[in-house]
Amino acid sequence: MSLDASPTSAAGQDGETHRKAGGGNALRAAVLGANDGLVSNLSLVMGVAGAEVSARNVLLTGLAGLVAGACSMAMGEWLSVNSSREMTQRQIDGEAKALEADPNREKRELVAIYVAKGLDEADASALADKLFQSKDAALDTLAREELGVDPEELGGSAWAAAISSFCLFATGAIFPVAPFIFASGGPAVTASLVLSGIALAVIGAVTARFTGRTVLFSAGRQLLIGYLAAAITYGVGRLIGVTVS
Ligand SMILES: [Zn+2]
């Protein structure tokens, strides 16, 4: 299943392949969450640094940005998991009602789906008959085939998703702001850019594992996008800083 022939996947091919199949989505979500925090806070920090405010103010702004962003991400994730669960549940309930009201019609719908998938009429009917012997099996199959949802997977815990989003965003967001705890002015800005650059490159390199691009390309692309966002807000901050003062 592994299409990339990058040197990183050369070692332990077997274990690697299994991990990719199992934890791919979690890794992807983790990397994207950290990237959100990193890019948005790097931009924020560079924006205020561009306006040449004191290191203390940059630090306060960066920390506020970290907390605000992490909370917003956590709430968004919580809402997303809950609302998608409720939406799926509502669709399944609707299908259950339809099954109760007119089971034959639902059976004909299922037969039509199987025929569209390439089964001949007789096989499709036999299969549908068998599945419709049990109400649970019928509803489960209708949910999967008609709605395209897996009733077993109505989303994990909304709270777990919220907490993990909060932590991931905060982890990414700490890099650009941390240097302002110890330094100020040009050295702090430089340290912030270097530290964030390393984090961007690492995130890019990790994305290479599931995009199939090379590590170098992915790291470079991530670095370019992150710095571009920072350069834009730095420019805006500088412009407004000059105008205001
Ligand atoms: Zn139906």
Side-chain angles (χ1 to χ4, degrees), residues 49-70:
E52 288 179 347
V53 301
S54 71
R56 195 184 118 83
N57 282 342
V58 178
L59 179 62
L60 281 176
T61 307
L63 290 176
L66 181 153
V67 175

Side-chain angles (χ1 to χ4, degrees), residues 166-216:
F166 184 98
C167 294
L168 287 165
F169 187 97
T171 303
I174 198 74
F175 288 93
V177 73
F180 291 89
I181 300 171
F182 315 104
S184 62
V189 170
T190 306
S192 172
L193 283 172
V194 170
L195 212 56
S196 302
I198 293 168
L200 281 166
V202 168
I203 286 172
V206 176
T207 64
R209 292 173 61 94
F210 42 78
T211 59
R213 299 274 194 170
T214 66
V215 169
L216 206 65

Side-chain angles (χ1 to χ4, degrees), residues 12-228:
Q13 193 76 42
D14 277 304
E16 208 86 332
T17 309
H18 285 291
R19 203 142 46 87
K20 263 185 195 172
N25 272 338
L27 179 66
R28 197 166 164 271
V31 166
L32 294 178
N35 187 62
D36 271 349
L38 179 58
V39 174
S40 85
N41 224 24
L42 176 62
S43 301
L44 182 66
V45 163
M46 286 304 141
V48 282
E52 288 179 347
V53 301
S54 71
R56 195 184 118 83
N57 282 342
V58 178
L59 179 62
L60 281 176
T61 307
L63 290 176
L66 181 153
V67 175
C71 285
S72 152
M73 283 300 181
M75 192 189 158
E77 197 59 31
W78 190 88
L79 275 174
S80 155
V81 171
N82 270 331
S83 62
S84 90
R85 190 206 332 273
E86 284 160 11
M87 197 182 83
T88 306
Q89 192 57 59
R90 194 174 150 213
Q91 286 180 306
I92 294 175
D93 291 349
E95 206 59 35
K97 261 186 206 142
L99 183 63
E100 198 71 49
D102 192 350
N104 282 324
R105 196 188 137 175
E106 289 304 312
K107 199 193 276 183
R108 282 198 302 278
E109 282 175 4
L110 188 59
V111 170
I113 289 169
Y114 286 145
V115 168
K117 282 188 176 178
L119 263 67
D120 62 48
E121 192 83 40
D123 288 344
S125 287
L127 185 54
D129 281 339
K130 202 156 252 171
L131 288 164
F132 269 65
Q133 279 171 8
S134 137
K135 214 174 249 177
D136 288 342
L139 184 57
D140 185 89
T141 309
L142 287 170
R144 286 170 202 272
E145 300 291 352
E146 245 195 274
L147 306 174
V149 300
D150 183 352
E152 306 281 313
E153 266 184 39
L154 286 177
S157 156
W159 282 108
I163 291 164
S164 104
S165 282
F166 184 98
C167 294
L168 287 165
F169 187 97
T171 303
I174 198 74
F175 288 93
V177 73
F180 291 89
I181 300 171
F182 315 104
S184 62
V189 170
T190 306
S192 172
L193 283 172
V194 170
L195 212 56
S196 302
I198 293 168
L200 281 166
V202 168
I203 286 172
V206 176
T207 64
R209 292 173 61 94
F210 42 78
T211 59
R213 299 274 194 170
T214 66
V215 169
L216 206 65
F217 173 86
S218 303
R221 178 171 65 178
Q222 204 72 17
L223 210 57
L224 201 72
I225 293 170
Y227 277 170
L228 189 67

